[in-house]
Short mmCIF file of all heavy atoms in Angstrom, two decimals:
data_model
loop_
_atom_site.label_atom_id
_atom_site.label_comp_id
_atom_site.label_asym_id
_atom_site.label_seq_id
_atom_site.Cartn_x
_atom_site.Cartn_y
_atom_site.Cartn_z
N PRO A 1 -61.02 -87.70 -5.89
CA PRO A 1 -62.21 -87.46 -6.70
C PRO A 1 -61.87 -87.40 -8.18
O PRO A 1 -60.86 -86.82 -8.58
CB PRO A 1 -62.70 -86.14 -6.15
CG PRO A 1 -62.21 -86.08 -4.74
CD PRO A 1 -60.84 -86.75 -4.82
N GLN A 2 -62.76 -87.94 -8.99
CA GLN A 2 -62.49 -88.04 -10.44
C GLN A 2 -62.17 -86.67 -11.04
O GLN A 2 -62.87 -85.71 -10.82
CB GLN A 2 -63.72 -88.66 -11.10
CG GLN A 2 -63.51 -88.90 -12.61
CD GLN A 2 -64.71 -89.61 -13.25
OE1 GLN A 2 -65.66 -89.94 -12.56
NE2 GLN A 2 -64.65 -89.85 -14.51
N GLY A 3 -61.09 -86.66 -11.82
CA GLY A 3 -60.74 -85.45 -12.56
C GLY A 3 -59.92 -84.44 -11.76
O GLY A 3 -59.58 -83.33 -12.27
N THR A 4 -59.54 -84.77 -10.50
CA THR A 4 -58.90 -83.76 -9.65
C THR A 4 -57.38 -84.00 -9.58
O THR A 4 -56.65 -83.14 -9.02
CB THR A 4 -59.46 -83.76 -8.21
OG1 THR A 4 -59.18 -85.09 -7.63
CG2 THR A 4 -60.94 -83.51 -8.21
N ALA A 5 -56.85 -85.10 -10.11
CA ALA A 5 -55.42 -85.39 -9.89
C ALA A 5 -54.75 -85.80 -11.23
O ALA A 5 -53.89 -85.07 -11.76
CB ALA A 5 -55.26 -86.51 -8.87
N GLY A 6 -55.08 -86.97 -11.75
CA GLY A 6 -54.40 -87.43 -12.94
C GLY A 6 -54.57 -86.53 -14.12
O GLY A 6 -53.62 -86.24 -14.85
N LYS A 7 -55.81 -86.03 -14.33
CA LYS A 7 -56.05 -85.19 -15.47
C LYS A 7 -55.32 -83.86 -15.39
O LYS A 7 -54.76 -83.40 -16.40
CB LYS A 7 -57.54 -84.93 -15.68
CG LYS A 7 -57.89 -84.31 -17.04
CD LYS A 7 -59.41 -84.30 -17.26
CE LYS A 7 -59.68 -83.69 -18.65
NZ LYS A 7 -61.14 -83.68 -18.90
N PRO A 8 -55.30 -83.15 -14.26
CA PRO A 8 -54.47 -81.95 -14.13
C PRO A 8 -52.97 -82.19 -14.42
O PRO A 8 -52.30 -81.33 -14.99
CB PRO A 8 -54.70 -81.45 -12.74
CG PRO A 8 -55.99 -82.03 -12.32
CD PRO A 8 -56.12 -83.34 -13.03
N ILE A 9 -52.49 -83.32 -14.02
CA ILE A 9 -51.08 -83.68 -14.27
C ILE A 9 -50.89 -83.87 -15.77
O ILE A 9 -49.90 -83.36 -16.37
CB ILE A 9 -50.64 -84.97 -13.53
CG1 ILE A 9 -50.77 -84.73 -11.99
CG2 ILE A 9 -49.24 -85.33 -13.89
CD1 ILE A 9 -50.64 -86.03 -11.19
N LEU A 10 -51.80 -84.58 -16.42
CA LEU A 10 -51.75 -84.81 -17.87
C LEU A 10 -51.79 -83.47 -18.60
O LEU A 10 -51.06 -83.27 -19.58
CB LEU A 10 -52.88 -85.72 -18.31
CG LEU A 10 -52.99 -85.98 -19.81
CD1 LEU A 10 -51.78 -86.75 -20.30
CD2 LEU A 10 -54.27 -86.76 -20.16
N GLU A 11 -52.67 -82.56 -18.18
CA GLU A 11 -52.81 -81.30 -18.86
C GLU A 11 -51.52 -80.49 -18.79
O GLU A 11 -51.20 -79.74 -19.73
CB GLU A 11 -53.97 -80.51 -18.24
CG GLU A 11 -55.33 -81.09 -18.66
CD GLU A 11 -56.49 -80.35 -18.05
OE1 GLU A 11 -56.28 -79.54 -17.11
OE2 GLU A 11 -57.66 -80.65 -18.45
N VAL A 12 -50.75 -80.60 -17.72
CA VAL A 12 -49.46 -79.93 -17.64
C VAL A 12 -48.53 -80.49 -18.78
O VAL A 12 -47.88 -79.71 -19.44
CB VAL A 12 -48.80 -80.14 -16.24
CG1 VAL A 12 -47.35 -79.70 -16.22
CG2 VAL A 12 -49.59 -79.36 -15.21
N LEU A 13 -48.49 -81.76 -18.93
CA LEU A 13 -47.63 -82.38 -19.95
C LEU A 13 -48.05 -81.92 -21.32
O LEU A 13 -47.23 -81.56 -22.17
CB LEU A 13 -47.71 -83.89 -19.85
CG LEU A 13 -46.98 -84.54 -18.67
CD1 LEU A 13 -47.39 -86.01 -18.55
CD2 LEU A 13 -45.49 -84.44 -18.81
N LEU A 14 -49.39 -81.91 -21.58
CA LEU A 14 -49.87 -81.53 -22.91
C LEU A 14 -49.71 -80.04 -23.17
O LEU A 14 -49.29 -79.65 -24.24
CB LEU A 14 -51.40 -81.94 -23.04
CG LEU A 14 -51.69 -83.43 -22.94
CD1 LEU A 14 -53.18 -83.66 -23.04
CD2 LEU A 14 -50.92 -84.21 -23.97
N ASN A 15 -49.97 -79.24 -22.16
CA ASN A 15 -49.86 -77.76 -22.37
C ASN A 15 -48.40 -77.37 -22.56
O ASN A 15 -48.14 -76.38 -23.29
CB ASN A 15 -50.45 -77.03 -21.17
CG ASN A 15 -51.96 -77.13 -21.10
OD1 ASN A 15 -52.60 -77.40 -22.09
ND2 ASN A 15 -52.50 -76.93 -19.90
N LYS A 16 -47.48 -78.06 -21.93
CA LYS A 16 -46.06 -77.73 -22.07
C LYS A 16 -45.43 -78.48 -23.26
O LYS A 16 -44.24 -78.28 -23.50
CB LYS A 16 -45.30 -78.07 -20.78
CG LYS A 16 -45.70 -77.19 -19.58
CD LYS A 16 -45.38 -75.71 -19.85
CE LYS A 16 -45.70 -74.86 -18.65
NZ LYS A 16 -45.41 -73.43 -18.89
N ASN A 17 -46.20 -79.29 -23.95
CA ASN A 17 -45.70 -80.02 -25.13
C ASN A 17 -44.54 -80.92 -24.78
O ASN A 17 -43.58 -81.05 -25.52
CB ASN A 17 -45.32 -79.06 -26.24
CG ASN A 17 -45.15 -79.73 -27.59
OD1 ASN A 17 -45.75 -80.75 -27.83
ND2 ASN A 17 -44.42 -79.10 -28.49
N VAL A 18 -44.64 -81.58 -23.60
CA VAL A 18 -43.59 -82.49 -23.12
C VAL A 18 -44.03 -83.91 -23.45
O VAL A 18 -45.16 -84.35 -23.08
CB VAL A 18 -43.35 -82.32 -21.62
CG1 VAL A 18 -42.31 -83.34 -21.17
CG2 VAL A 18 -42.89 -80.91 -21.32
N HIS A 19 -43.22 -84.67 -24.07
CA HIS A 19 -43.48 -86.03 -24.54
C HIS A 19 -42.59 -87.05 -23.78
O HIS A 19 -41.60 -86.65 -23.12
CB HIS A 19 -43.25 -86.17 -26.02
CG HIS A 19 -44.16 -85.32 -26.83
ND1 HIS A 19 -44.75 -85.77 -28.01
CD2 HIS A 19 -44.52 -84.02 -26.74
CE1 HIS A 19 -45.48 -84.79 -28.57
NE2 HIS A 19 -45.35 -83.74 -27.78
N ASN A 20 -42.93 -88.32 -23.92
CA ASN A 20 -42.09 -89.40 -23.33
C ASN A 20 -41.71 -89.18 -21.89
O ASN A 20 -40.59 -89.26 -21.49
CB ASN A 20 -40.82 -89.58 -24.19
CG ASN A 20 -41.11 -90.11 -25.56
OD1 ASN A 20 -42.27 -90.38 -25.92
ND2 ASN A 20 -40.09 -90.24 -26.39
N THR A 21 -42.76 -88.82 -21.13
CA THR A 21 -42.52 -88.41 -19.69
C THR A 21 -43.63 -88.91 -18.81
O THR A 21 -44.79 -88.89 -19.16
CB THR A 21 -42.43 -86.89 -19.62
OG1 THR A 21 -41.33 -86.42 -20.37
CG2 THR A 21 -42.24 -86.45 -18.15
N LEU A 22 -43.24 -89.40 -17.65
CA LEU A 22 -44.14 -89.79 -16.58
C LEU A 22 -44.04 -88.76 -15.46
O LEU A 22 -42.95 -88.41 -15.02
CB LEU A 22 -43.78 -91.17 -16.06
CG LEU A 22 -44.30 -91.57 -14.70
CD1 LEU A 22 -45.83 -91.75 -14.67
CD2 LEU A 22 -43.61 -92.84 -14.17
N ILE A 23 -45.20 -88.30 -14.93
CA ILE A 23 -45.21 -87.53 -13.70
C ILE A 23 -46.12 -88.24 -12.74
O ILE A 23 -47.32 -88.43 -12.98
CB ILE A 23 -45.69 -86.10 -13.89
CG1 ILE A 23 -44.86 -85.35 -14.95
CG2 ILE A 23 -45.66 -85.34 -12.56
CD1 ILE A 23 -45.30 -83.90 -15.16
N LEU A 24 -45.54 -88.65 -11.61
CA LEU A 24 -46.36 -89.24 -10.53
C LEU A 24 -46.27 -88.29 -9.33
O LEU A 24 -45.17 -87.87 -8.94
CB LEU A 24 -45.79 -90.63 -10.14
CG LEU A 24 -46.61 -91.39 -9.06
CD1 LEU A 24 -46.60 -92.87 -9.37
CD2 LEU A 24 -46.02 -91.14 -7.69
N VAL A 25 -47.42 -87.96 -8.77
CA VAL A 25 -47.47 -87.06 -7.61
C VAL A 25 -47.95 -87.85 -6.41
O VAL A 25 -49.08 -88.40 -6.39
CB VAL A 25 -48.37 -85.82 -7.87
CG1 VAL A 25 -48.42 -84.95 -6.62
CG2 VAL A 25 -47.87 -85.03 -9.07
N THR A 26 -47.10 -87.94 -5.41
CA THR A 26 -47.42 -88.60 -4.12
C THR A 26 -48.03 -87.62 -3.17
O THR A 26 -47.46 -86.53 -2.94
CB THR A 26 -46.13 -89.21 -3.56
OG1 THR A 26 -45.60 -90.15 -4.41
CG2 THR A 26 -46.40 -89.87 -2.18
N ARG A 27 -49.19 -87.97 -2.60
CA ARG A 27 -49.83 -87.07 -1.63
C ARG A 27 -49.84 -87.69 -0.23
O ARG A 27 -50.33 -88.81 -0.04
CB ARG A 27 -51.25 -86.75 -2.03
CG ARG A 27 -51.93 -85.78 -1.00
CD ARG A 27 -53.41 -85.64 -1.27
NE ARG A 27 -54.00 -84.69 -0.30
CZ ARG A 27 -55.27 -84.46 -0.18
NH1 ARG A 27 -56.14 -85.12 -0.92
NH2 ARG A 27 -55.74 -83.60 0.71
N TYR A 28 -49.30 -86.99 0.72
CA TYR A 28 -49.39 -87.31 2.10
C TYR A 28 -50.49 -86.36 2.68
O TYR A 28 -50.30 -85.15 2.72
CB TYR A 28 -48.08 -87.11 2.84
CG TYR A 28 -47.10 -88.22 2.55
CD1 TYR A 28 -46.12 -88.05 1.58
CD2 TYR A 28 -47.11 -89.42 3.24
CE1 TYR A 28 -45.21 -89.06 1.26
CE2 TYR A 28 -46.21 -90.41 2.97
CZ TYR A 28 -45.28 -90.24 2.00
OH TYR A 28 -44.41 -91.24 1.70
N PHE A 29 -51.59 -86.95 3.14
CA PHE A 29 -52.78 -86.18 3.60
C PHE A 29 -52.42 -85.43 4.84
O PHE A 29 -51.93 -85.94 5.82
CB PHE A 29 -53.95 -87.12 3.78
CG PHE A 29 -55.21 -86.42 4.16
CD1 PHE A 29 -55.73 -85.42 3.31
CD2 PHE A 29 -55.92 -86.82 5.30
CE1 PHE A 29 -56.95 -84.85 3.68
CE2 PHE A 29 -57.11 -86.21 5.62
CZ PHE A 29 -57.63 -85.21 4.79
N GLY A 30 -52.82 -84.15 4.87
CA GLY A 30 -52.55 -83.31 6.02
C GLY A 30 -53.68 -83.10 7.01
O GLY A 30 -53.57 -82.36 7.99
#
């Protein structure tokens, strides 16, 4: 659902002031 995955990951990078970094989160549905 829009805004539930990519944006929270981006906010972690911005809030921690981390640059030049990719975070990809793989989800296996339970």
Side-chain angles (χ1 to χ4, degrees):
Q2 184 175 359
T4 63
K7 192 171 183 180
I9 298 170
L10 178 64
E11 287 177 350
V12 169
L13 288 167
L14 298 179
N15 290 339
K16 293 298 182 181
N17 196 22
V18 177
H19 297 222
N20 293 357
T21 299
L22 160 70
I23 302 180
L24 184 145
V25 179
T26 298
R27 181 190 182 188
Y28 285 96
F29 184 56

